[in-house]
Amino acid sequence: MSARDTVTFYLPPHLRKQAERGKHNFIRQVGEVLAGAGLTVAFDNDDDLARIRAMARPGRGLFLMDRPVNARGLTFRKTYIYPFWHIEKETERWAWPVAQDAFDPKSVDARKAANFYRFWRNRLFEDAPNHAREDGFVYVPLQGQLLRKRSFQSCNPIDMIKTVLDRDADRQVVVTLHPSETYSLEERHALEDLLSVEDRLMVKSEGSPHYLQNCDYIVTQNSGVGFQGYFFGKPLILFAKSDFHHIALNAGEIGSLQAFNKVHSHAPDYAAYLFWFLQTRAINAGRPEAKNKIRDVLRKHGWPV
């Protein structure tokens, strides 16, 4: 068989070992679709040398959360919660087709959406969403690069916190750091400076379902924690582009003043949205039709499956 008919998965070493043993459900199913079409499946690491090897190989590549090295590659990543996945050409979530499409709650089967919402709320958070309340604070989950405004953001994260404190003069603001980020001394000093002048501000080392359960609403750049808040029925204000923006209030588009004025009465159809976003627009690797959906997605990207 020609090397052009080989599809290589580029994975971190621990995940590569799992995938090679057939122990990663989604990668295994993608591999079965590829093998069923007569293609050969191979595995490599995801370091710089592996990317150089990918550029030299004539076959196709699948890159976990990384930008493909050429037009013969695709990226894949978890859609915030297992077992939902996307396979796309672009690494930026806000450039994905689902981000560009309009969401119409009327197009969603209300009964299916309600059942889906109830099942996944319980699966992810047990009984906590059923006891959600408003304890008078804003939850602000941070990501990284607190002092840098990137191209997809309407302001840097420190300025976002300042905006929350300015636009909502009554509520306590609970800010949480991302456990996988390393914050510079300059970034930590910026947070400390805010803490020294803002009695309503609290900074915690990591997030907690407690904050999702009991906050009044969530403000973030585009953290997946904001997406999780939908399962608790929490309104969301975004300060950056995102793939799950459809039922959020985006400060970059409508302005922060309007976003904060609207957030207290903002009540989208969370059940319909999550069903549409996850069940209809992502690949649910736990469903019996998963391989058919994988095949359809790959075909849309022009792959011979």
Side-chain angles (χ1 to χ4, degrees), residues 51-283:
R51 291 181 67 82
I52 292 172
R53 290 192 292 270
M55 287 187 281
R57 287 171 176 148
R60 294 175 171 84
L62 282 163
F63 299 80
L64 177 64
M65 297 189 296
D66 279 340
R67 187 182 303 278
V69 299
N70 53 41
R72 289 177 280 106
L74 296 171
T75 186
F76 69 103
R77 70 183 299 163
K78 181 182 68 174
T79 312
Y80 300 105
I81 62 173
Y82 289 110
F84 298 94
W85 295 82
H86 269 266
I87 304 173
E88 303 290 352
K89 291 182 178 180
E90 305 290 339
T91 53
E92 296 82 5
R93 293 180 188 265
W94 54 88
W96 289 357
V98 65
Q100 313 304 318
D101 289 348
F103 164 63
D104 179 9
K106 295 179 181 177
S107 68
V108 176
D109 185 308
R111 181 184 59 81
K112 289 182 179 179
N115 290 338
F116 181 89
Y117 192 50
R118 182 168 52 252
F119 174 84
W120 282 103
R121 276 162 50 112
N122 182 70
R123 174 80 172 266
L124 295 169
F125 304 104
E126 297 182 340
D127 200 37
N130 295 323
H131 301 284
R133 60 179 190 262
E134 297 179 4
D135 282 357
F137 69 92
V138 185
Y139 181 22
V140 183
L142 294 179
Q143 294 153 282
Q145 305 192 43
L146 304 186
L147 295 170
R148 179 187 171 201
K149 177 185 177 296
R150 290 180 276 180
S151 60
F152 58 91
Q153 297 173 320
S154 59
C155 67
N156 71 46
I158 290 294
D159 286 340
M160 177 182 70
I161 298 171
K162 293 177 181 178
T163 301
V164 177
L165 291 162
D166 180 57
R167 296 299 188 197
D168 194 326
D170 300 320
R171 288 171 177 80
Q172 187 178 46
V173 178
V174 177
V175 171
T176 57
L177 303 179
H178 195 290
S180 299
E181 292 286 346
T182 299
Y183 296 98
S184 68
L185 194 60
E186 187 180 12
E187 289 172 324
R188 291 188 177 276
H189 283 165
L191 287 171
E192 290 169 3
D193 288 344
L194 281 177
L195 282 167
S196 68
V197 297
E198 295 289 352
D199 293 338
R200 293 184 294 117
L201 180 63
M202 295 176 58
V203 177
K204 300 293 185 179
S205 60
E206 59 184 31
S208 166
H210 167 79
Y211 301 135
L212 287 172
Q213 182 183 26
N214 299 328
C215 69
D216 290 10
Y217 60 93
I218 301 168
V219 179
T220 187
Q221 292 284 348
N222 58 11
S223 168
V225 176
F227 179 78
Q228 292 179 2
Y230 291 160
F231 289 96
F232 289 82
K234 300 296 182 175
L236 174 64
I237 297 177
L238 294 170
F239 274 75
K241 295 178 181 178
S242 169
D243 54 332
F244 57 86
H245 63 89
H246 307 80
I247 61 170
L249 299 165
N250 195 307
E253 295 178 357
I254 65 176
S256 64
L257 178 61
Q258 188 172 354
F260 282 87
N261 284 342
K262 286 185 172 184
V263 71
H264 307 296
S265 59
H266 190 58
D269 190 334
Y270 295 104
Y273 181 72
L274 287 167
F275 180 82
W276 174 80
F277 186 86
L278 291 171
Q279 187 61 32
T280 71
R281 299 309 311 272
I283 301 167

